[in-house]
Amino acid sequence: ATLNVLNLGSGTTLDVSSSLNVTGQLTMGSGNTVTFAGALTIGSSTTTIDNASSIKLTGAGWTLNHSGAIVVGSSGTISLDDDNSAGGGITINVPTLTVQTGGTIHANGTGGAGGTSGGAGAGTGGGGGGTYGRGAGFGGYGGRDGNSGLTVGAPYGSLTNPNDIGSGGGSYSSNAGGAGGGRIRLNVSGTLTVDGSLQANGNGGSS
């Protein structure tokens, strides 16, 4: 779908099930929750996400293309919703990106799924399951319990060009492992200012 402008009043909840191209201004009021299932393309102006508003992105990989500037204000959020079927990532292509203090861009818990019913976590470095759940690997080996003979998640990926999602932790009995972290890729051709937070953390397991 293509729109010239998109103005959202306060308290708006909007679900967009396909890609959206806004050729002009996207204006968000306070307390908005906007969920996009496809790529979002915004024309040349400044888009501010603030006042307890959020853009939520669904799917295994999601792209925001902006020809102007994005400002994530002190109570604004851009996040990837949980999608552990294939692991998830956010890619933002923009000339200018500002994340103010208190603002957040995150892909927490959107990597490989945690193991269930004593099984291993999903992903290249998934933690082993069974008697106790083991931690997933990525930049190093996952955490180990007291049994040294059980499998922990192995390290993987590139230090210089990281492009992999996190793996899930292993499960112990009915206690599920935590999902791994997703991926955030920022392609900023001009100025990047981050006083807030960029997160791609894994989730803790259940107990």
Side-chain angles (χ1 to χ4, degrees), residues 4-191:
N4 291 329
V5 295
L6 179 58
N7 296 319
L8 302 176
S10 297
T12 299
T13 299
L14 175 66
D15 293 321
V16 181
S17 60
S18 62
S19 297
L20 178 65
N21 179 17
V22 181
T23 60
Q25 178 75 24
L26 169 62
T27 303
M28 299 183 67
S30 62
N32 294 153
T33 300
V34 187
T35 303
F36 294 97
L40 173 62
T41 301
I42 303 173
S44 56
S45 56
T46 298
T47 299
T48 300
I49 306 160
D50 201 1
N51 299 314
S53 288
S54 64
I55 292 180
K56 295 183 178 181
L57 322 170
T58 63
W62 191 94
T63 302
L64 168 58
N65 301 303
H66 202 303
S67 56
I70 299 173
V71 177
V72 183
S74 60
S75 59
T77 304
I78 297 176
S79 66
L80 188 69
D81 272 3
D82 289 350
D83 178 29
N84 293 318
S85 60
I90 300 171
T91 299
I92 298 177
N93 303 309
V94 62
T96 304
L97 174 62
T98 301
V99 184
Q100 297 178 348
T101 302
T104 303
I105 300 175
H106 80 78
N108 295 336
T110 59
T116 59
S117 301
T124 303
T131 307
Y132 295 99
R134 265 74 65 194
F138 190 78
Y141 286 96
R144 185 187 301 276
D145 59 46
N147 189 334
S148 61
L150 300 176
T151 303
V152 298
Y156 63 99
S158 170
L159 290 175
T160 57
N161 184 30
N163 198 42
D164 295 280
I165 60 171
S167 299
S171 168
Y172 161 53
S173 184
S174 62
N175 299 323
R183 178 183 60 240
I184 300 172
R185 181 175 293 278
L186 303 179
N187 298 316
V188 182
S189 60
T191 302

